[in-house]
Amino acid sequence: MKTIIGTLVVAFFLSISNSFAGDKLYKNVIEDKEKRTVTTTVCKGENDMNLVPLTECVLQYNADGSLKERISYKWESRKKVWVAYQKYMYEYDKGSLKAISYVEWNKSTKAWGNDIQYVMHVYESKTDLLTVASSSQK
């Protein structure tokens, strides 16, 4: 059984490495201080002239520099557009992280879904994390 699992794992990693054979991953980071955003785009290609977009992540910060929102996009090669697929929102209380909520993009309604996942951070004091609890809201 261990041999079969080991063989499957090795085959999986070889298939991944072969699918990117000759391709390198490139990352471009653009910071917009006025909008308080950092956009990271990842592309693949044989050289820096023939790049194919893969993913994009946009981080939005609050005025105090704390992370407010993270939206991830996938490249839709047929339509040549970025398509949102997940969003994380961060809430703070007196400088400490209070909650993280997560929602996925609904392709059919072309809006963020109604099934919001929450992770709450409960602190005993300003710096002592007491517990982390998760919940779902529909």
Side-chain angles (χ1 to χ4, degrees):
M1 184 67 171
K2 289 181 183 179
T3 306
I4 293 172
I5 293 173
T7 304
L8 290 174
V9 170
V10 170
F12 173 74
F13 284 115
L14 286 175
S15 69
I16 290 174
S17 65
N18 287 338
S19 66
F20 288 108
D23 289 340
K24 292 182 181 178
L25 294 180
Y26 294 86
K27 180 172 79 168
N28 184 39
V29 180
I30 298 172
E31 181 177 1
D32 186 331
K33 292 185 181 192
E34 191 174 296
K35 293 181 181 177
R36 295 191 299 267
T37 60
V38 175
T39 303
T40 303
T41 306
V42 177
C43 300
K44 72 174 181 174
E46 292 180 23
N47 58 48
D48 60 357
M49 299 299 288
N50 300 315
L51 299 178
V52 176
L54 296 174
T55 62
E56 187 168 81
C57 179
V58 179
L59 303 175
Q60 173 78 47
Y61 292 91
N62 292 315
D64 65 1
S66 59
L67 184 59
K68 176 182 177 183
E69 189 174 83
R70 181 178 86 194
I71 302 177
S72 298
Y73 300 88
K74 292 180 187 176
W75 181 250
E76 176 60 57
S77 58
R78 289 182 297 120
K79 296 179 182 178
K80 299 197 183 303
V81 296
W82 290 108
V83 177
Y85 70 94
Q86 66 182 10
K87 177 166 73 169
Y88 289 88
M89 295 152 289
Y90 302 84
E91 298 174 40
Y92 300 88
D93 183 29
K94 299 175 187 166
S96 296
L97 183 62
K98 177 182 166 186
I100 302 172
S101 55
Y102 167 82
V103 66
E104 292 182 353
W105 183 257
N106 185 322
K107 289 181 184 179
S108 60
T109 63
K110 297 184 180 176
W112 293 109
N114 294 331
D115 186 17
I116 301 172
Q117 305 292 320
Y118 286 95
V119 175
M120 306 298 288
H121 292 85
V122 181
Y123 292 88
E124 186 173 59
S125 66
K126 182 172 173 114
T127 58
D128 295 329
L129 180 62
L130 182 61
T131 187
V132 176
S134 63
S135 66
S136 179
Q137 175 185 341
K138 288 188 179 188

